Amino acid sequence: MPALADRLLPWFAAHARDLPWREDGVSGWGVLVSEIMLQQTPVVRVDPIWREWLARWPRPSDLAAASTAEVLRAWGKLGYPRRALRLQAAAVVIAAEHDDVVPDDVDTLLALPGIGAYTARAVAAFAYGRRCPVVDTNVRRVVARAVHGRAEAGDAAARDLPDTEALLPDDEADAARTSAALMELGACVCVARGPRCADCPVVDLCAWQHAGRPAWDGPVKKGQRWAGTDRQVRGRLLDVLRGADGPAGAAALESAWLTDPAQRARCLDSLLVDGLVEQLADGRFALPGET
DNA sequence: GAGCCGTGGGA
DNA sequence: TTCCCAAGGCT
């Protein structure tokens, strides 16, 4: 539907946020780092960390040469620190097999660790101007409302990709900008709670508006618990090691989670398995590669 | 494919 | 306070 893109492109040109990874001259590497950091993580928290990373590791080979401990400390409290490990692993492959240049085609990107269906297409579109549908939670919500007249997107479905592809204009550069505009609309206007329809550039084309903004009648998404979960305990343990000058003894780690010693031990073991922590010969624990 | 994997801000 | 959720990926 070119009609939607015809509205979105001028709106995006006028209202797009000034994000550092959107500036002219940002490399494919810069875009890839931003996309990994932005997975399940708000823009405001990514912004300063992204700047630090690109200044410190301007090429994939620079990150590839860093120690895991450095990488995890630089990741800070962005969350989901396994993303940092996978990003470094991707950098190793890019440096060794792709001449230190982030690939520009979806299939090659998909083969890299930590890069899935969303990120591969986001990099192809935003870094290289490719015409490929970029489907994230924002785009799925926009399509659910504007195209299908539903309040929420529900579970990901096989038709998400063709549904989104149908919205892209033929011109490659315009299509890439449309993908960015769809995401921006979902992030800033067509938001999950309290959509600002009065500010929407496609409100008169929106199927959800035409249907009278019906409430969501699909399955209710089950919320993930947090308090007392292994995720919380892992986060506490890693936070201790990030904040320590060097290796930490058992006592320091025990203090991170006193509620349930068995759970603490299990979580520490899982961190070792994941490669987020290593144990030294003397029994102490540290971020991997810490000297 | 359902569940797991961090963190913090806003309603 | 509690709950929701924010540019997902992996198993």
Side-chain angles (χ1 to χ4, degrees):
Chain A
M1 287 295 128
L4 201 86
D6 289 345
R7 300 288 189 78
L8 284 176
L9 289 173
W11 172 83
F12 186 61
H15 297 284
R17 292 168 291 177
D18 286 325
L19 303 175
W21 44 87
R22 285 177 175 167
E23 289 177 8
D24 291 339
V26 172
S27 64
W29 172 239
V31 173
L32 173 57
V33 172
S34 77
E35 293 301 339
I36 300 293
M37 288 183 171
L38 286 163
Q39 290 168 3
Q40 303 287 285
T41 309
V43 165
V44 290
R45 235 183 301 164
V46 168
D47 190 321
I49 306 294
W50 183 88
R51 295 175 190 272
E52 291 171 17
W53 274 55
L54 267 292
R56 185 172 184 176
W57 298 303
R59 299 167 303 181
S61 55
D62 298 317
L63 181 66
S67 76
T68 301
E70 287 180 282
V71 171
L72 289 175
R73 286 216 170 83
W75 192 258
K77 307 195 79 170
L78 273 185
Y80 293 141
R82 293 186 299 181
R83 289 183 294 168
L85 299 186
R86 292 176 183 141
L87 179 52
Q88 188 180 31
V92 168
V93 176
I94 293 165
E97 300 180 14
H98 301 293
D99 202 22
D100 219 14
V101 176
V102 173
D104 63 357
D105 69 286
V106 171
D107 287 338
T108 308
L109 286 160
L110 280 171
L112 296 170
I115 298 185
Y118 162 75
T119 303
R121 290 178 175 79
V123 169
F126 304 150
Y128 299 112
R130 290 297 197 84
R131 184 184 187 279
C132 57
V134 180
V135 180
D136 76 327
T137 184
N138 290 306
V139 173
R140 294 203 310 113
R141 185 172 56 251
V142 169
V143 171
R145 289 174 179 163
V147 177
H148 298 301
R150 295 194 284 262
E152 295 181 24
D155 292 331
R159 71 170 183 282
D160 289 343
L161 227 44
D163 280 355
T164 304
E165 200 275 345
L167 301 175
L168 302 183
D170 292 333
D171 179 78
E172 198 165 26
D174 281 346
R177 277 191 287 271
T178 299
S179 290
L182 283 167
M183 289 182 58
E184 190 79 350
L185 188 72
C188 299
V189 177
C190 195
V191 294
R193 287 182 293 185
R196 301 162 45 200
C197 300
D199 298 325
C200 180
V202 298
V203 64
D204 58 313
L205 304 175
C206 178
W208 189 51
Q209 293 293 330
H210 290 155
R213 299 176 55 143
W216 173 245
D217 63 349
V220 177
K221 61 190 70 171
K222 53 191 69 172
Q224 295 182 348
R225 298 285 172 248
W226 169 248
T229 60
D230 284 4
R231 273 192 295 167
Q232 184 183 24
V233 179
R234 286 165 55 102
R236 289 275 190 87
L237 291 168
L238 210 52
D239 195 43
V240 168
L241 294 175
R242 270 197 310 263
D245 291 334
L253 291 175
E254 285 169 11
S255 69
W257 193 254
L258 300 169
T259 312
D260 184 343
Q263 184 184 25
R264 180 191 51 71
R266 181 177 71 244
C267 288
L268 183 55
D269 186 63
S270 75
L271 289 170
L272 290 165
V273 169
D274 287 347
L276 287 162
V277 175
E278 71 179 4
Q279 187 167 22
L280 308 181
D282 63 9
R284 293 181 299 166
F285 296 89
L287 298 180
E290 194 155 50
T291 52

